[in-house]
């Protein structure tokens, strides 16, 4: 039996109200978040309490990669401190990439090329400011551990069709997703192709809507989603809520996020139908096992939806996405030295500290001589990214350029090591000495035009 | 180690200081020449080409290094060295000069500290992005890191810091060469925009351009220059661990100051600094830096600074006046010049030539203190009348 052994989710804390505050809203990545940072967040949620060394492969799915050439999956693997000999692959170019990755992972495990595959889907898609399309989008990520042992949701029949259509697209150099006229998009794109896919699946495998406990369906907007589910013969109570007005269409991560939300409430013996769409469509049928009810300790979608803070203005959203000019362009500057970054990868990307074998003192960053007992080269690595620390000191800096001043920075005590780091997703009034914090992978700046990642602290919520 | 090896062996016989400020119309050359020639005149040196045998200079943002001083003063064919040690740069350059004279090799050494930060187009440090760690790299952000712990532990607050700013603004109005000459109130300081909590605008030193210089000689040669020479009683430099990385740091002090203080008090044979030091120039890049220096230098017990701030112990007419010329806060802070500028002020005070800001009671022992970096480098110099 091959299927999902664990799952996790990440939804950014910030919400952009779509109308009056308190009404419908969408999740928006903070200025220091992108598909990679959110993907790391979802993967951390998925791998909580699991042996990270057992992960054999990472499949990352997104349509919003910061790099056109440079792999996101390899960054994620390094941030998660996975094995050196992990197989990494990026999938993209379609909102279907998340479900495609889940299917590919299943095939890898079935074929025996990997025992455990981490699937991560994340997207931060942008449409033109104030366009109707923009209001339907949302940012988020989901992750699944696919394997053959202790399976919580076994993958059964799968079905896919490819479809050549210009309905939703984004071209090189264009930051915005575009869509053709919506009736065409629904009638001949999304609605027609999903109906064809699901009917084909039913016909081939001999079951129908009544045999499905939950439909996990991608949708470009709430109306098309509901209409398509109804046309397929599903009752409203069979639908996983598409989260429009709360999260929004998270692109390649939408069907995966909805699947994570379904698994949170799933019980043993349920048949789930997962459908992704984009240049065709892809369906996976899952059967839940007793394990699904025993998976605990993850935050999933519900925890992240409850953790929310409203962006004070639309203007701030534009500033976060660098859609309006500011005095200090975050992309300015020569960027990091590639050789310095190369030497600092363990420290900066994996957040590896050291513990002195002789005196036990943890210290950060990498040292050759111990701070406490002065022993030379007597260190063993100590991963700090998954530890809870406490705030030892802090300041609110208005002088350092930030799209959302003041920049909160301070000293965090993690296992006895001290880290001078920024604090994110926090209001200054929340910050207290001794408060517990966890670490979150973020963009520190974009000097040189590339995302430059490091870890920040954030209040343990 | 012989801690007393240099005590009172080297004399300051001439000092100079240009006007500190946003000297848009002056090159480093202009400021170096003004400071050095004032020092020459003060020392009665009329032929520097013959009389100055070696030069030690300090600057944190030099464009050329030691040649900037050699070229400005045309002091060639002799050693000219540049020292860099964060904000203790000026004090450290002076220290090298003292050791050069104390060794017996050179009779007369010139020390020049200078900096020209205002050519960089930013008010404050240049935010050069060289990595992703250690950000935000703003000195206000670094020096503020003791605030939360100190406030919580000892019950101090922004008002205590504001009183330090008010004091230094007052003293600065009395110093002809200071950058800022404006009295402020506690409310002005408290209501100013926040730079990096708890520091508002008035908690931060005025970054400025400037240069200061000293002519030093052996004690036995001092009389040939002037009767009222001033002796170097002690001078030390200490580096501590970076407070941002030090696993044992408590954020209630700056350890580099405590370390350097132990050095100079041992050199000078000082057991009770509160009584044996008569005035001090301490590093007030930010008001909290001055507050911590009161305690770290042993001028008062740890945690007691706020009481002394309220009672005026460190005011110009107090028992131990601190930053009599306005300090970095209002005199200005051209990094490499600051340590030498502080010795200039102490030298004038001990000679009784500090005019409107002259401290009472004929002081004979004065201390100057710099701390810089994260901060982790401290320099302290004690000068005294014979």
């Amino acid at each position: 039996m091959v299927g999902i052994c664990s799952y996790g989710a990440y939804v950014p804390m910030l919400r952009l109200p779509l109308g009056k505050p308190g009404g419908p809203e969408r999740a928006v990545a903070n200025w220091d978040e992108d598909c990679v940072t959110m993907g790391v967040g979802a993967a951390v949620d998925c791998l909580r309490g699991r042996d990270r060394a057992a992960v054999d492969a990472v499949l990352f799915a997104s349509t919003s990669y910061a790099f056109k050439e440079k792999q996101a999956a390899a960054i994620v693997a390094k941030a998660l401190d996975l094995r050196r000999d992990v197989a990494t692959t990026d999938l993209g170019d379609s909102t279907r990439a998340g479900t495609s990755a889940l299917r590919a992972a299943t095939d890898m495990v079935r074929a025996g090329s990997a025992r455990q595959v981490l699937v991560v889907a994340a997207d931060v898609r942008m449409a033109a400011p104030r366009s109707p399309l923009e209001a339907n989008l949302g940012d988020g990520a989901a992750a699944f551990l696919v394997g053959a042992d202790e399976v919580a949701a076994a993958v059964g029949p799968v079905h896919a069709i490819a479809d050549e259509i210009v309905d939703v697209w984004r071209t090189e150099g264009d930051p915005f997703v575009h869509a053709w006229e919506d009736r065409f998009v629904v009638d001949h794109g999304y609605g027609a192709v999903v109906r064809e896919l699901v009917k084909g699946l039913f016909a081939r495998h001999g079951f129908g809507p009544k045999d499905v406990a939950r439909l996990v369906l991608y949708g470009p907007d709430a109306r098309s989603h509901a209409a398509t589910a109804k046309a397929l013969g599903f009752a409203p109570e069979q639908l996983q809520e598409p989260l429009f007005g709360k999260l929004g269409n998270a692109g390649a991560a939408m069907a995966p996020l909805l699947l994570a939300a379904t698994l949170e409430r799933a019980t043993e013996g349920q048949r789930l139908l997962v459908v992704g769409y984009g240049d065709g469509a892809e369906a996976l049928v899952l059967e839940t096992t007793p394990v699904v009810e025993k998976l605990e300790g993850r935050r999933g979608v519900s925890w992240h939806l409850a953790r929310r803070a409203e962006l004070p203005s639309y203007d701030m959203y534009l500033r976060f996405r660098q859609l309006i000019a500011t005095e200090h362009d975050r992309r300015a500057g020569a960027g990091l030295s590639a050789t310095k970054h190369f030497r600092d990868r363990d420290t900066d990307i994996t957040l590896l500290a050291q513990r002195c074998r002789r005196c036990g003192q943890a210290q950060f960053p990498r040292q050759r001589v111990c701070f406490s007992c002065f022993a030379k080269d007597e260190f063993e690595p100590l991963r700090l990214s998954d530890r809870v620390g406490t705030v030892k000191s802090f300041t609110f800096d208005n002088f350092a350029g930030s799209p959302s001043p003041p920049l909160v920075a301070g000293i965090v005590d993690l296992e006895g090591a001290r880290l001078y780091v920024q604090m994110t997703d926090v209001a200054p009034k929340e910050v207290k000495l001794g408060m517990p914090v966890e670490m979150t992978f973020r963009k520190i700046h974009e000097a040189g035009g590339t995302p430059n990642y490091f870890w920040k602290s954030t209040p343990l919520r | 180690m012989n801690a007393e090896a240099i005590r009172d062996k080297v004399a300051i016989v001439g000092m100079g200081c240009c006007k500190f400020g946003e000297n848009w119309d002056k090159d480093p050359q202009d400021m170096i020449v003004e400071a050095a020639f004032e020092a020459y005149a003060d020392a009665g040196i009329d032929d520097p080409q013959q009389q100055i045998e070696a030069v030690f200079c300090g600057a944190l943002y030099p464009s050329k290094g030691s040649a900037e001083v050699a070229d400005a003063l045309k002091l060639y064919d002799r050693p000219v060295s540049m020292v860099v040690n964060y904000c203790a740069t000026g004090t450290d350059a002076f220290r090298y000069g003292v050791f050069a004279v104390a060794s017996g090799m050179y009779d007369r050494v010139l020390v020049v500290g200078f900096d020209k930060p205002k050519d960089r187009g930013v008010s404050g440090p240049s935010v050069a992005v060289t990595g992703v760690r250690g950000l935000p790299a703003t000195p206000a952000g670094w020096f503020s890191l003791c605030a939360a712990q100190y406030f919580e532990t000892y019950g101090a607050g922004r008002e205590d810091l504001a009183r330090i700013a008010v004091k230094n603004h007052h003293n600065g109005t009395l110093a002809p060469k200071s950058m800022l000459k404006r009295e402020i109130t506690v409310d002005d300081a408290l209501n100013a925009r926040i730079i990096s909590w708890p520091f508002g605008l008035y908690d931060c030193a005025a970054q400025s351009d400037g240069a200061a210089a000293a002519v030093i000689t052996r004690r036995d040669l001092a009389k040939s220059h002037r009767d009222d020479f001033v002796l170097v009683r002690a001078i030390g430099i200490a580096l501590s661990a970076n407070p941002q990385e030090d696993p044992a740091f408590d954020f209630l002090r700056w350890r580099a100051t405590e370390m350097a203080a132990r050095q100079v008090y041992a050199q000078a044979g000082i057991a009770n600094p509160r009584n044996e030091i008569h005035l001090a120039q301490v590093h007030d890049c930010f008001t909290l830096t001055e507050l911590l220096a009161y305690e770290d230098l042993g001028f008062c017990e740890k945690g007691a600074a706020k009481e002394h701030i309220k009672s005026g112990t460190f005011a110009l007419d107090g028992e131990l006046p601190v930053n009599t010329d306005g300090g970095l806060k209002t005199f200005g802070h051209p990094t490499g010049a600051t340590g030498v500028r502080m010795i200039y002020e102490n030298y004038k005070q001990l000679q009784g030539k500090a005019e409107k800001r002259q401290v009472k009671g004929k002081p004979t022992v004065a201390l100057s203190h710099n701390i810089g970096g994260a901060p982790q480098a401290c320099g302290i110099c004690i000068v005294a009348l014979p």
Side-chain angles (χ1 to χ4, degrees), chain A residues 84-407:
Chain A
R84 179 76 174 161
D85 63 337
V86 67
T88 56
T89 308
D90 281 359
L91 296 90
D93 299 340
S94 165
T95 51
R96 184 154 56 107
T99 35
S100 303
L102 200 51
R103 176 181 178 168
T106 308
D107 290 346
M108 287 169 78
V109 175
R110 280 195 183 127
S113 72
R115 290 175 59 86
Q116 289 195 12
V117 181
L118 177 67
V119 174
V120 182
D123 243 336
V124 185
R125 294 158 82 219
M126 285 197 290
R130 298 193 188 283
S131 63
L133 184 53
E134 183 191 52
N136 278 319
L137 302 183
D139 304 330
F144 303 95
L145 190 64
V146 175
D149 300 323
E150 287 290 294
V151 170
V155 176
V158 295
H159 188 49
I161 53 176
D163 187 52
E164 208 298 305
I165 184 170
V166 181
D167 57 349
V168 179
W169 71 94
R170 183 165 76 87
T171 53
E172 171 106 42
D174 186 343
F176 304 127
V177 173
H178 300 278
W180 200 261
E181 203 170 339
D182 55 359
R183 287 178 307 287
F184 165 75
V185 166
V186 172
D187 292 351
H188 292 280
Y190 170 73
V193 172
V194 166
R195 286 196 303 276
E196 180 189 348
L197 173 87
V198 174
K199 283 175 180 166
L201 178 84
F202 286 163
R204 187 189 285 188
H205 296 283
F207 66 99
K210 290 190 170 52
D211 305 309
V212 173
R214 193 76 65 201
L215 175 64
V216 179
L217 175 62
Y218 170 93
D221 57 81
R223 195 172 149 195
S224 313
H225 179 273
T228 303
K230 188 178 177 189
L232 282 167
F234 286 91
E237 59 270 19
Q238 284 175 284
L239 297 186
Q240 161 61 43
E241 184 200 349
L243 303 176
F244 286 103
K246 295 177 181 170
L247 198 164
N249 173 3
M254 180 172 181
L257 270 163
L258 298 182
L259 174 57
T262 298
L263 291 172
E264 280 175 47
R265 299 188 317 275
T267 53
E268 174 187 355
Q270 288 185 313
R271 178 180 281 165
L272 315 177
L273 174 56
V274 183
V275 178
Y277 173 80
D279 306 284
E282 195 140 10
L284 292 88
V285 177
L286 284 78
E287 305 275 350
T288 59
T289 75
V291 176
V292 79
E293 297 178 35
K294 295 179 196 150
L295 292 175
E296 286 172 349
R298 74 212 58 249
R299 291 169 173 175
V301 176
S302 54
W303 183 94
H304 282 97
L305 286 179
R307 180 196 72 148
R308 54 179 289 289
E310 269 176 26
L311 258 184
S313 70
Y314 185 78
D315 187 82
M316 193 166 261
Y317 166 77
L318 295 177
R319 217 183 310 159
F320 284 8
R321 294 291 171 276
Q322 303 183 89
L323 296 174
I324 49 174
T326 53
E327 180 65 26
H328 300 286
D329 189 331
R330 301 209 294 278
R331 293 159 295 205
L336 302 187
S337 157
T339 52
K340 188 174 186 314
H341 172 73
F342 173 75
R343 294 193 301 274
D344 288 345
R345 290 174 299 173
D346 286 349
T347 306
D348 293 352
I349 305 298
T350 315
L351 201 68
L352 284 187
Q354 306 164 304
R355 194 185 290 284
C356 179
R357 286 195 196 93
R358 197 189 283 180
C359 73
Q361 178 65 57
Q363 42 215 283
F364 182 91
R366 187 180 73 92
Q367 311 288 328
R368 294 289 301 274
V369 176
C370 176
F371 263 113
S372 294
C373 74
F374 312 114
K376 175 175 167 286
D377 295 330
E378 288 283 346
F379 297 107
E380 58 194 16
L382 171 64
R383 187 171 74 211
L384 294 180
S385 64
D386 52 351
R387 311 288 175 113
V388 171
T390 54
V391 171
K392 186 73 186 167
S393 174
F394 58 82
T395 184
F396 311 119
D397 200 316
N398 285 290
F399 189 69
S402 162
S404 179
L407 202 156

Side-chain angles (χ1 to χ4, degrees), chain B residues 105-288:
Chain B
M105 185 153 181
Y106 304 109
D107 288 347
R108 271 168 299 272
V109 164
L110 177 70
V111 178
V112 179
F114 70 97
D115 255 316
K116 182 71 187 158
K118 300 307 295 187
D119 273 0
R120 297 176 309 149
V122 290
S123 290
S126 57
V127 182
V129 175
T130 56
V132 291
R133 261 182 278 137
L135 297 175
T138 66
W142 298 337
F143 279 84
S144 64
L145 289 177
C146 275
Q149 286 285 356
Y150 187 92
F151 287 179
E152 183 160 300
T153 304
Y154 297 116
R158 290 195 67 221
E159 299 76 10
D160 302 299
L161 304 184
R163 289 192 181 91
I164 291 174
V166 170
K167 168 181 76 74
N168 290 349
H169 266 267
H170 170 72
N171 293 355
T173 64
L174 307 174
K177 291 174 176 174
S178 71
M179 175 174 174
L180 303 176
K181 293 185 175 58
R182 189 160 81 81
E183 301 274 3
I184 62 160
T185 66
V186 168
D187 281 345
D188 289 339
L190 292 176
N191 295 330
R193 68 188 165 96
I194 293 287
I195 302 297
S196 193
W197 181 91
F199 302 149
L201 184 65
Y202 291 109
D203 291 294
C204 305
Q207 195 175 44
S208 71
D209 306 323
V215 175
I216 56 178
T217 187
R218 289 205 313 276
R219 182 177 185 167
D220 59 293
L221 298 174
K223 277 276 186 202
S224 68
H225 289 276
R226 64 186 317 127
D227 291 335
D228 58 347
F229 60 85
V230 169
L231 295 172
V232 179
R233 181 143 295 170
I235 189 159
I237 291 277
L239 272 282
S240 73
N242 181 335
Q244 298 161 16
E245 300 174 354
D246 182 357
F249 189 51
D250 63 6
F251 293 93
L252 297 173
R253 67 198 76 235
W254 295 126
R255 296 173 85 173
T257 299
E258 296 179 327
M259 293 167 176
R262 282 197 291 274
Q263 282 182 29
V264 293
Y265 294 156
Q267 289 175 24
I270 287 174
N272 185 341
R274 168 72 188 281
N275 296 332
E276 296 176 60
I277 306 280
H278 302 150
L279 75 145
Q281 317 302 326
V282 309
H283 203 78
D284 61 323
C285 50
F286 304 97
T287 44
L288 179 65

Side-chain angles (χ1 to χ4, degrees), chain A residues 10-128:
Chain A
Y10 184 89
V11 180
M13 189 177 81
L14 295 174
R15 303 287 184 276
L16 184 66
L18 298 174
K20 289 197 179 82
E25 60 191 15
R26 52 166 294 205
V28 291
N30 206 334
W31 64 273
D32 57 3
E33 294 181 299
D34 65 9
C35 69
V36 168
T37 69
M38 295 196 306
V40 170
V44 165
D45 194 34
C46 174
L47 295 176
R48 229 175 278 274
R50 302 228 163 216
D51 179 14
R52 293 188 185 183
V55 176
D56 297 314
V58 179
L59 301 182
F60 195 102
S62 181
T63 67
S64 50
Y65 292 109
F67 290 97
K68 289 301 286 186
E69 179 174 339
K70 177 170 165 51
Q71 198 187 56
I75 303 173
V76 170
K78 186 68 183 165
L80 293 172
D81 197 20
L82 302 184
R83 285 197 331 262
R84 179 76 174 161
D85 63 337
V86 67
T88 56
T89 308
D90 281 359
L91 296 90
D93 299 340
S94 165
T95 51
R96 184 154 56 107
T99 35
S100 303
L102 200 51
R103 176 181 178 168
T106 308
D107 290 346
M108 287 169 78
V109 175
R110 280 195 183 127
S113 72
R115 290 175 59 86
Q116 289 195 12
V117 181
L118 177 67
V119 174
V120 182
D123 243 336
V124 185
R125 294 158 82 219
M126 285 197 290

Side-chain angles (χ1 to χ4, degrees), chain B residues 30-49:
Chain B
D30 298 311
M31 303 189 296
I32 291 165
V33 165
E34 282 172 34
F37 276 74
E38 183 189 340
Y40 295 160
D42 189 45
I45 283 179
D46 49 14
D47 187 3
Q49 291 295 333

